Amino acid sequence: MSLSVSSKKLFGTDGIRGITNEWFTPEQVTRLALAIGSFFEEGSKLLVGRDSRAGNSFIVKSVMSALLSAGIKVYYAGLVPTPALQYYVKHHDFDGGIMVTASHNPSEYSGIKVIVNDGIELPREAEREIEEIYWKRRFRRTSWSALGRDVKSVNDVNEFYIMGVLKLLDIEKIRRQRLKVVIDPANNVGALTTPKLLRAIGVKVTVINGDLSHLPDRQPEPVPENLVEAAAVVKALRADIGIAHDGDADRAIFIDDKGRVIPGDRTAVLLCRHIVENRGERKPGRVVTAVSSSTLVEEILSKYNIEVVWTRVGSIDISRTMTSLGAIAGFEENGGFMYPKHQYVRDGAMTLGLMLELLSTEKRRLSDLYDELPRRYIIKTKVPIKNRGDAVKVVEELKVQYRAERVIDVDGIKVIGKDYWFLVRPSGTEPVMRIFVESGSEESTKKIYNDIVSTIKDLLG
Ligand code: MG
């Protein structure tokens, strides 16, 4: 998903990404940050943070240099998780923040996330505005006489975040359970907060891939193929649970006591149930998630009269829907979980805190809780398409074929049948259609999948 310079769109699903020193050069980053700085009003206060990726040593300096030139008051938080920066911006007198991170992308990538004063990433319309400033080079250059102040350091961002998470948890209950936890922060900023949080609670902690001083030992995306080592350590130490973050620690993927990497929408279902049943939070009776999540969440939460609102794929859409409608939680199937009592964004440490509270309250093992969820057979794959027009044809045809079923068409097409669901949607980053199928049996999952593929073949040849 390397960006081409001719492309008018700079922002992807979450922020701007590119390969360090290929597209993300000092010149390029300066131009981007001039556009971002010009979007905010002159004199705005922005908090800048970064993860420990190789390129961010120079990128963060280019960002701050351009912001100063555009007349922004710049504050520097240093190495922080994205949710820590977001929490700090929300609770202090800042107009926004910039996080220099490529999140879960491979190590050669760098990126920029832009946050506004409520701690959430920019709304989509604001992304378009920044792109326009960038392409038209309508940069604001402040007068020399308005300069005169340097970057100020802010040193308590991680501490403030940890305290914020601790405040919301039943610490005593978790401490009494004497849990053993393995943490894999992908040699990045989660190593600065998650172990401290757990030690403050009194949990026994083992950290792997916790060293920020060298290139990462694993790829940053917390998916099973990158978590083989973490899963082995959980088993070898007989730990109660393992947790893996992505590069900027807004995602939390869990490994159970049997060493299984649990899909993010499954743990989210368990956490939503914990929030309702054990924490007694039933209002507003709503959970927000993207169409790529399993319908298990509806199945489980309908018992508590909690409605599920389906959004487009992308955490910003989930966050913004939560703020406008109200919700007890929101999540993505990739391990991004949002607990609005803390903040309306994905939040790795808060998610872990809730998981430990769940295990301590119910005195259960994660493997048992996971095995109690209805069993589903899943196919997740993608098929190539030539262009956007192909995607529209496929979606329209499926809408006709499945018109008797419940159809959600906010992003591609999601069909929810009696004992199955599927999603067919065009990827935002590659010329492919993504296909997710889930049902109660292997045969029926395969059959639904084959039906979809033959529809696509008939249409596109
Ligand atoms: Mg991330």
Side-chain angles (χ1 to χ4, degrees):
M1 54 171 256
S2 179
L3 287 158
S4 82
V5 184
S6 64
S7 156
K8 292 288 170 196
K9 213 163 171 278
L10 300 168
F11 285 86
T13 320
D14 189 9
I16 305 169
R17 310 276 166 90
I19 294 178
T20 299
N21 260 346
E22 284 186 18
W23 195 73
F24 254 65
T25 57
E27 309 89 288
Q28 184 59 37
V29 172
T30 301
R31 185 173 165 189
L32 286 170
L34 276 170
I36 296 165
S38 307
F39 165 80
F40 285 93
E41 272 177 39
E42 188 156 16
S44 292
K45 290 169 68 179
L46 295 190
L47 182 62
V48 178
R50 68 172 179 108
D51 72 15
S52 68
R53 283 167 183 270
N56 294 353
S57 52
F58 76 79
I59 290 170
V60 80
K61 292 182 182 74
S62 299
V63 166
M64 292 197 290
S65 160
L67 292 177
L68 288 169
S69 163
I72 298 293
K73 293 185 176 134
V74 181
Y75 294 76
Y76 183 48
L79 288 163
V80 293
T82 298
L85 185 93
Q86 293 177 300
Y87 188 69
Y88 204 91
V89 163
K90 179 183 145 193
H91 286 279
H92 293 80
D93 179 29
F94 286 101
D95 300 293
I98 294 185
M99 181 69 192
V100 179
T101 177
S103 189
H104 66 280
N105 282 149
S107 301
E108 62 272 27
Y109 280 80
S110 253
I112 288 176
K113 292 183 178 181
V114 186
I115 288 141
V116 287
N117 63 355
D118 58 6
I120 307 176
E121 289 91 337
L122 286 172
R124 297 291 182 204
E125 317 83 76
E127 293 179 348
R128 300 291 89 80
E129 247 181 88
I130 291 173
E131 284 163 352
E132 183 158 333
I133 299 170
Y134 172 93
W135 290 112
K136 295 189 173 156
R137 293 183 179 269
R138 284 204 329 254
F139 306 134
R140 180 184 59 234
R141 318 267 186 180
T142 205
S143 118
W144 68 271
S145 57
L147 294 167
R149 67 180 292 287
D150 205 347
V151 172
K152 278 197 182 138
S153 286
V154 179
N155 297 317
D156 62 338
V157 173
N158 288 339
E159 195 65 34
F160 185 74
Y161 173 61
I162 294 169
M163 293 307 292
V165 175
L166 285 171
K167 267 195 280 190
L168 291 171
L169 296 171
D170 190 337
I171 307 291
E172 274 315 309
K173 195 180 273 172
I174 302 173
R175 183 174 295 148
R176 279 199 299 273
Q177 201 62 14
R178 308 175 71 85
L179 296 166
K180 228 199 241 184
V181 180
V182 173
I183 303 172
D184 180 349
N187 304 89
N188 216 320
V189 286
L192 303 175
T193 45
T194 303
K196 275 193 193 155
L197 170 79
L198 294 193
R199 289 188 181 114
I201 298 174
V203 167
K204 194 157 191 291
V205 179
T206 302
V207 183
I208 64 165
N209 303 326
D211 185 356
L212 273 60
S213 68
H214 62 82
L215 288 175
D217 296 304
R218 72 155 165 95
Q219 284 296 334
E221 187 163 24
V223 288
E225 56 268 35
N226 295 333
L227 303 181
V228 174
E229 187 194 7
V233 174
V234 169
K235 276 177 80 175
L237 295 180
R238 296 172 183 273
D240 294 286
I241 194 170
I243 176 178
H245 291 305
D246 65 333
D248 63 338
D250 51 4
R251 291 201 208 171
I253 281 287
F254 294 98
I255 299 165
D256 74 4
D257 44 288
K258 292 183 175 165
R260 295 177 296 184
V261 178
I262 313 288
D265 52 357
R266 268 52 183 180
T267 47
V269 169
L270 296 173
L271 293 177
C272 289
R273 187 178 60 71
H274 170 62
I275 289 168
V276 176
E277 230 177 34
N278 301 325
R279 291 180 69 92
E281 295 163 17
R282 288 158 189 266
K283 291 214 164 84
R286 197 175 292 115
V287 163
V288 181
T289 188
V291 284
S292 49
S293 296
S294 172
T295 55
L296 266 185
V297 62
E298 274 187 345
E299 217 176 301
I300 306 282
L301 295 181
S302 63
K303 291 172 209 153
Y304 306 97
N305 285 324
I306 304 284
E307 174 204 7
V308 175
V309 177
W310 301 100
T311 69
R312 295 176 60 80
V313 172
S315 71
I316 299 171
D317 299 278
I318 300 173
S319 293
R320 295 286 166 201
T321 305
M322 287 171 77
T323 54
S324 67
L325 298 180
I328 53 163
F331 68 91
E332 293 180 297
E333 49 87 38
N334 60 20
F337 189 84
M338 307 175 188
Y339 183 54
K341 285 229 151 115
H342 193 232
Q343 50 182 348
Y344 287 84
V345 292
R346 293 168 299 182
D347 192 336
M350 187 71 238
T351 308
L352 172 59
L354 289 169
M355 178 56 80
L356 297 180
E357 194 184 69
L358 161 65
L359 299 180
S360 310
T361 305
E362 299 191 357
K363 298 192 169 44
R364 303 285 306 281
R365 303 190 71 81
L366 179 56
S367 57
D368 293 332
L369 295 173
Y370 178 52
D371 287 335
E372 277 170 15
L373 290 174
R375 185 133 175 80
R376 291 285 186 270
Y377 294 83
I378 304 171
I379 293 179
K380 269 189 196 183
T381 182
K382 54 189 178 184
V383 295
I385 51 170
K386 282 198 284 297
N387 51 47
R388 210 78 195 167
D390 280 359
V392 173
K393 269 193 232 165
V394 170
V395 168
E396 290 308 315
E397 174 58 28
L398 289 169
K399 268 190 206 167
V400 174
Q401 276 185 27
Y402 288 88
R403 61 187 175 276
E405 301 288 8
R406 186 173 152 214
V407 168
I408 292 161
D409 60 357
V410 292
D411 191 353
I413 176 171
K414 182 175 184 124
V415 170
I416 305 178
K418 195 170 169 297
D419 54 359
Y420 75 92
W421 69 272
F422 72 78
L423 171 71
V424 179
R425 63 175 281 269
S427 158
T429 50
E430 328 166 52
V432 298
M433 291 296 275
R434 295 192 187 283
I435 305 176
F436 290 42
V437 186
E438 242 186 69
S439 85
S441 81
E442 200 174 347
E443 306 83 83
S444 107
T445 298
K446 278 188 186 153
K447 182 176 178 310
I448 296 162
Y449 172 73
N450 289 334
D451 289 349
I452 295 168
V453 171
S454 60
T455 298
I456 295 177
K457 275 192 185 147
D458 289 349
L459 268 178
L460 308 179

